[in-house]
Amino acid sequence: MIKNILSRIILSFFLLYWFNQIGINFNLIIPINIITLFVVFLCDIPGLGVLMITLLVLF
């Protein structure tokens, strides 16, 4: 149980990290903090999509 949660948190971190590495070319950078990690942790790829859409609409 704890191992599964920890592995999903690490996966969420790397998902955000790799998105930022690709998104830097398009000026799309999502900060890696507790809130963004929590959104990606709960929703995986769709959560990352929601963060991208929010970033595009608000900024």
Side-chain angles (χ1 to χ4, degrees):
M1 176 82 173
I2 299 287
K3 187 177 179 182
N4 187 18
I5 292 172
L6 187 60
S7 67
R8 288 207 41 199
I9 290 172
I10 292 170
L11 178 69
S12 300
F13 174 81
F14 281 115
L15 192 61
L16 283 169
Y17 175 78
W18 286 110
F19 173 79
N20 285 336
Q21 291 298 315
I22 295 169
I24 204 164
N25 297 326
F26 305 106
N27 291 329
L28 296 173
I29 297 174
I30 298 173
I32 301 174
N33 55 32
I34 298 296
I35 297 168
T36 57
L37 275 175
F38 185 70
V39 169
V40 176
F41 173 78
L42 287 179
C43 302
D44 290 329
I45 301 293
L48 185 61
V50 167
L51 290 172
M52 280 187 344
I53 292 170
T54 305
L55 178 69
L56 291 172
V57 169
L58 293 179
F59 300 105

